[in-house]
Amino acid sequence: MSIPVLKFDAVIVGAGGAGLRSAIQLSEAGLKTAVLSKVFPTRSHTVAAQGGVAASLGNSEEDHWHWHMYDTVKGSDWLGDQDAIEFMVRKANECVVELEHYGMPFDRTDDGKIYQRPFGGHMSNFGEKPVRRSCAAADRTGHAMLHAMYQRNVKANTQFFVEWMALDLIRDAEGHVVGVTAMEMETGQVVIFHTRATIFATGGAGRIYYSSTNAFINTGDGLGMAARAGIPLEDMEFWQFHPTGVAGAGVLITEGVRGEGGILRNANKERFMERYAPNAKDLASRDVVSRAMTTEINEGRGCGVNKDYVLLDITHLDPNTIMKRLPGIREIGLQFAGVDCIKEPLPVVPTCHYQMGGIPTHYSGRVVTPQNGDYNAVVPGFYAAGECACASVHGANRLGTNSLLDLLVFGKSAGDSAVEDLKAGKAHRELPKDAAEQSLARISAIDNRKGGANVHETRLAMQRTMQNHAGVFRFGDMLKSGVEKILEVEKAARELEIKDKSMAWNTARTEALEMENLIEVAKATMLSAEARKESRGAHVRDDAPDTPEFPNGRNDAEWLKHTLFNPVDNSITYKPVNMQPLTVEPIALKTRSY
Amino acid sequence: MERQDYERLRWRCIRRALLELDITLTRFLDDGFDQLTEEEQAAFVDLVALEDHDLWYLISGKEECNEDEARFVPVVEKLRKCSVRLAG
Ligand SMILES: Cc1cc2nc3c(=O)[nH]c(=O)nc-3n(C[C@H](O)[C@H](O)[C@H](O)COP(=O)(O)OP(=O)(O)OC[C@H]3O[C@@H](n4cnc5c(N)ncnc54)[C@H](O)[C@@H]3O)c2cc1C
């Protein structure tokens, strides 16, 4: 079968914040650039971000990038690469001001500067006291960001392929990336994008968990494609959980609810946080609260028939306060829990929120992989940015508002690096003869299989396995059995069957193809988590507790290193953390406490 | 509705920017959409073309349809009821 080939200088997979930001660099440099997206660009998940984007502009009070750097390293529990972190925080102001010039309607101070608000973990003077560092556009920060960048791309003649799904990375015999295969959903046609540069900006994969704040689109396609092309995935054991997602739905209930006096209760109506954090109680940090909730559930004090959630109670608050200070919360309770929170408590569980790991990149946005003793050998022609990439700035735990910054800074630098590499010459490399083979074989297997596994059931099995065995609080024996279980689910995921065989708009097929990506991410997460025998940042193990020798369970002597999960043979190797910033002194190891 | 039109609509309902809409619209497609009149189905197609925040504010009752959106009103009513009834 002959497959159409479209030739571009660059293809960018993903039209969220990271993809749109890198496309601007390429198109404005006059390069022929295609952007592929499963949905219309301004329907990418970046839209959901409301909190803002971090930059030490110092508009509201004194601030400095060095302080921002310190907070980010500390937040990462020292697993973040300090060169990449310095790069990001120093570029922050420039990137935010650029966005302003693109037309982003930031909230303003009375004297017309970008207004800044405080956000957890961002401090002044190396951890002294909270600082106002987050720049927002009302409750539509992510949305306004995408709009501004989309318009800029339209002006620069970026070519959009909307409702197209990239399927596989194309690498030639020497390992160079020469493009991707993609499917146009409207026709079901598979096409080859033959390129000189390929940038992945496919976002996160939070749907591997049963309870997730992520929209359904976050299926980790970029990670799946990279994994199938033999590229290892970095630090996949690190996922940030939010303590209060609506049980069963995942929809986020803001921290503000506890700020206004909301109380967490178990099945006995007990205010259990008093036992875990006698001072801060319900206002303790995210990880402390999430762990306490999990312990209550594990010890049989959860609520409901399955005893699998706890309650967030605000029935003692004045209904007027609820309506005024917590807008939208009542609606969320009604819509997703069938509960009126003025009269009854809300069912909540710790919920997966953000993926810290991903495709290993250098801070230039170039994808790197171990080769001949070099941990960071560049994969020529391949770049990644945003939540799908691991630069690594978030290390073991991301600070709020740093991910919108990540996608601006690394979206831009991936674009710049591609421009630089393309300007250095080099024609399109030849396409391998079997460039589309893998994708066609995957589709045909899904279409023709009889007696295979059901997509919906397989996804559910994966999600439950991840939630129960590699959730916010982890146990050695549960991780061990989780490995076995996820490898079982993987077998099913490799044997999917669909009933609808139509070519055009076959959403069943698309979901099956997404499932093949999800399972790569789930497997990488479970196996990487089982292997890391310490607690660090968001990876907290019951068998690596807080002791004087290992504060917070962190063991730097053995585990100050990045995980690289090799999907080809399920093996794990490690690479050192870069503790050497670009220009300043390293931020020395310390116990992470707030 | 033709299969192809329905499947396109389905994709545009189950892959939104906001999880709130993914859940609500998926539920509605599974239970509610079939009972709409042809005219209402056409309105639904246009309704889901709205930006995510705008659509969510309508469904959650934070905002009401403005004058030129009158034909959305019956569909929005049903969406609101569907989410509440099916929850839990
Ligand atoms: C509820 C919520 C609130 C948040 N709030 C904040 C906040 O206030 N501040 C902050 O800094 N961070 C926040 N985050 C995190 C932040 O929003 C994300 O990390 C970030 O937006 C990810 O951007 P991205 O560009 O990497 O990916 P996305 O915006 O998710 O875009 C991914 C793109 O890739 C495309 N794509 C994926 N797979 C394929 C494929 N196979 N083929 C073609 N296209 C594909 C999609 O269509 C989409 O266009 C929040 C996250 C959530 C869930």
Side-chain angles (χ1 to χ4, degrees), chain A residues 387-500:
Chain A
E387 196 168 333
C388 73
C390 182
S392 135
V393 285
H394 309 300
N397 190 44
R398 163 200 79 129
L399 289 192
T401 70
N402 260 355
S403 37
L404 287 185
L405 177 61
D406 162 344
L407 59 84
L408 289 177
V409 170
F410 296 109
K412 183 178 180 187
S413 81
D416 281 339
S417 302
V419 171
E420 188 184 307
D421 295 347
L422 296 193
K423 291 263 148 101
K426 295 199 204 107
H428 281 78
R429 292 170 68 90
E430 205 175 315
L431 276 177
K433 293 267 169 305
D434 58 352
E437 211 47 54
Q438 186 180 21
S439 303
L440 295 175
R442 284 171 57 216
I443 292 177
S444 132
I446 291 170
D447 281 354
N448 297 320
R449 191 170 288 118
K450 297 217 167 52
N454 171 287
V455 176
H456 176 72
E457 285 165 13
T458 309
R459 189 170 49 217
L460 210 58
M462 169 194 68
Q463 291 173 332
R464 292 218 184 263
T465 304
M466 296 308 296
Q467 193 80 25
N468 294 338
H469 293 261
V472 66
F473 192 20
R474 298 168 174 179
F475 303 83
D477 53 340
M478 289 297 278
L479 285 165
K480 271 213 168 65
S481 54
V483 168
E484 278 169 38
K485 282 196 180 170
I486 207 70
L487 293 175
E488 274 304 307
V489 179
E490 185 193 14
K491 285 187 198 148
R494 304 228 178 274
E495 298 281 324
L496 297 173
E497 179 191 348
I498 54 172
K499 301 281 178 250
D500 184 354

Side-chain angles (χ1 to χ4, degrees), chain A residues 45 139 163 216 335 507 514, chain B residues 7 12 15 17 22 57 83:
Chain A
H45 200 30
D139 60 354
E163 295 176 338
F216 293 175
Q335 308 262 10
T507 53
E514 288 178 335
Chain B
E7 286 287 301
R12 290 177 187 174
R15 290 294 176 276
D22 281 338
Y57 290 163
S83 342

Side-chain angles (χ1 to χ4, degrees), chain A residues 38-39 42-45 47-50 139-140 143 147 163 185-186 207 212-217 219 248-252 327 331-338 459 500 502-508 510-511 514, chain B residues 3-24 26-27 47-63 79-88:
Chain A
K38 294 198 283 190
V39 295
T42 52
R43 206 157 276 162
S44 301
H45 200 30
V47 165
Q50 304 192 335
D139 60 354
R140 294 199 183 190
H143 186 250
H147 260 269
E163 295 176 338
M185 293 183 197
E186 191 173 348
R207 300 308 305 180
S212 172
T213 66
N214 288 192
F216 293 175
I217 196 170
T219 54
V251 175
L252 197 121
E331 286 76 13
I332 286 178
L334 286 169
Q335 308 262 10
F336 301 109
R459 189 170 49 217
D500 184 354
S502 330
M503 281 300 283
W505 280 114
N506 187 335
T507 53
T510 310
E511 289 188 276
E514 288 178 335
Chain B
R3 175 201 164 273
Q4 221 162 297
D5 292 331
Y6 177 77
E7 286 287 301
R8 180 192 297 112
L9 174 68
R10 185 172 169 77
W11 183 250
R12 290 177 187 174
C13 288
I14 65 176
R15 290 294 176 276
R16 305 295 302 197
L18 298 179
L19 175 62
E20 288 86 337
L21 288 177
D22 281 338
I23 298 174
T24 309
T26 304
R27 278 178 186 167
L47 183 70
V48 302
L50 291 181
E51 297 280 7
D52 275 61
H53 289 289
D54 296 330
L55 180 52
W56 174 240
Y57 290 163
L58 283 182
I59 296 177
S60 64
K62 186 172 173 194
E63 280 169 18
L79 271 163
R80 286 180 184 170
K81 280 203 197 103
C82 168
S83 342
V84 177
R85 185 165 49 79
L86 289 177

Side-chain angles (χ1 to χ4, degrees), chain A residues 103-122:
Chain A
M104 167 104 174
F106 281 113
D107 298 340
R108 305 207 166 265
T109 60
D110 290 339
D111 55 355
K113 291 188 198 151
I114 294 176
Y115 171 80
Q116 299 190 276
R117 44 179 159 171
F119 216 93
H122 291 279

Side-chain angles (χ1 to χ4, degrees), chain A residues 135-288:
Chain A
C135 315
D139 60 354
R140 294 199 183 190
T141 307
H143 186 250
M145 201 180 245
L146 287 193
H147 260 269
M149 294 201 285
Y150 177 65
Q151 294 307 334
R152 185 89 185 183
N153 270 294
V154 169
K155 265 199 211 126
N157 285 325
T158 302
Q159 258 178 273
F160 285 95
F161 292 77
V162 173
E163 295 176 338
W164 281 64
M165 180 182 186
L167 302 175
D168 284 290
L169 201 58
I170 307 174
R171 291 180 86 180
D172 67 13
E174 279 115 281
H176 288 241
V177 170
V178 293
V180 289
T181 52
M183 183 180 71
E184 183 183 26
M185 293 183 197
E186 191 173 348
T187 58
Q189 171 78 54
V190 173
V191 170
I192 290 172
F193 285 79
H194 185 195
T195 65
R196 299 197 288 148
T198 300
I199 301 184
F200 273 11
T202 52
R207 300 308 305 180
I208 64 167
Y209 283 95
Y210 182 69
S211 189
S212 172
T213 66
N214 288 192
F216 293 175
I217 196 170
N218 275 13
T219 54
D221 296 359
L223 280 75
M225 290 188 271
R228 279 192 298 279
I231 289 167
L233 302 178
E234 181 171 343
D235 292 341
M236 290 308 299
E237 60 272 47
F238 298 101
W239 289 83
Q240 186 172 75
F241 279 69
H242 195 288
T244 53
V246 175
V251 175
L252 197 121
I253 296 188
T254 109
E255 235 109 46
V257 172
R258 279 173 291 132
E260 289 296 333
I263 292 172
L264 289 162
R265 298 188 190 280
N266 60 21
N268 311 326
K269 306 274 177 323
E270 184 206 359
R271 181 179 195 177
F272 58 85
M273 282 311 299
E274 284 179 334
R275 275 188 279 120
Y276 298 89
N279 295 321
K281 297 193 183 89
D282 302 275
L283 292 177
S285 65
R286 276 187 188 179
D287 50 334
V288 172

Side-chain angles (χ1 to χ4, degrees), chain A residues 264-273 275-276 289-303 307-311 473 475:
Chain A
L264 289 162
R265 298 188 190 280
N266 60 21
N268 311 326
K269 306 274 177 323
E270 184 206 359
R271 181 179 195 177
F272 58 85
M273 282 311 299
R275 275 188 279 120
Y276 298 89
V289 175
S290 294
R291 238 173 293 153
M293 292 165 72
T294 307
T295 306
E296 289 302 298
I297 293 169
N298 285 346
E299 293 180 357
R301 292 184 294 277
C303 308
K307 299 173 174 284
D308 55 359
Y309 58 83
V310 298
L311 297 170
F473 192 20
F475 303 83

Side-chain angles (χ1 to χ4, degrees), chain A residues 246 253 257 314 319-320 322-344 346, chain B residues 56 60 84:
Chain A
V246 175
I253 296 188
V257 172
I314 50 172
N320 290 326
I322 296 177
M323 303 304 279
K324 215 166 65 206
R325 306 285 282 277
L326 302 168
I329 289 305
R330 191 171 180 210
E331 286 76 13
I332 286 178
L334 286 169
Q335 308 262 10
F336 301 109
V339 159
D340 182 352
C341 63
I342 290 178
K343 300 185 197 126
E344 282 174 86
L346 294 159
Chain B
W56 174 240
S60 64
V84 177

